[in-house]
Amino acid sequence: MKLKLDVTPDLVAAMAAEVKAGEKAVTAAMTEAGTGLKTAWRGQITGAGLGRRLANSIRLATYPKAGESLNAAALVWSKAPVIVGAHDTGPLIRSRDGFWLAIPLPAAGKGRRGAKMTPGEWERRRGL
C-alpha cells in the first residue's frame, strides 16, 4: 500500500502570508488605538478650557518606526506632564509667601478709584 500526500498550496508560503497579514493588522490596530487615545486626550484638554497649546503637548509614538510587527506598540505621553497632572489632580495653590492665594473677582467690588480691589483692601473693609 502506498500513501501519497500532496499539499497543493505551499504550506510554508501560506503560513508566511498569514504572519504578514497578522503583522499588518497588529501594527494598524496599534496606530489606530494610539491615534484615538491622543485625539481623545487632546479633546478633553481643550474641552476643559485649558487651551490648544497644552492640548498639542500630547504626543504619540508607534513602534516599530518603520515596517510592521506582531509586537507593535503605541506610546502616548505629554510633553508637559506637570501642567497636565496639576489640572488632573487639583493641587493646592498658594501664594509666594506660603499663604492662600487670593484672586479678586468682580463680586468683591471695586477698590479705590474704580480699580480692582486688592486682598488687603478687602480684608480692611470686611474685617475678615
Side-chain angles (χ1 to χ4, degrees):
M1 175 192 255
K2 262 186 160 174
L3 186 59
K4 182 179 177 184
L5 178 65
D6 188 21
V7 179
T8 306
D10 185 17
L11 190 57
V12 174
M15 289 306 294
E18 287 299 317
V19 168
K20 189 69 177 163
E23 289 174 342
K24 185 175 182 177
V26 169
T27 303
M30 294 285 41
T31 302
E32 184 177 341
T35 304
L37 177 60
K38 179 183 79 168
T39 304
W41 196 359
R42 284 182 172 185
Q44 288 177 2
I45 290 172
T46 55
L50 300 178
R52 190 84 224 137
R53 288 183 63 195
L54 185 59
N56 286 340
S57 73
I58 307 302
R59 301 286 187 217
L60 166 68
T62 54
Y63 300 98
K65 292 287 186 187
E68 297 163 340
S69 172
L70 287 174
N71 297 322
L75 175 65
V76 180
W77 78 97
S78 172
K79 290 188 79 167
V82 174
I83 297 171
V84 173
H87 287 286
D88 188 35
T89 59
L92 182 64
I93 300 173
R94 293 191 180 265
S95 68
R96 284 184 228 145
D97 299 330
F99 299 110
W100 293 98
L101 179 63
I103 301 171
L105 299 175
K110 295 286 184 181
R112 281 188 250 147
R113 298 182 186 165
K116 289 182 181 177
M117 189 178 304
T118 65
E121 187 176 353
W122 192 86
E123 284 181 29
R124 281 190 301 279
R125 284 186 182 183
R126 302 292 190 282
L128 299 174

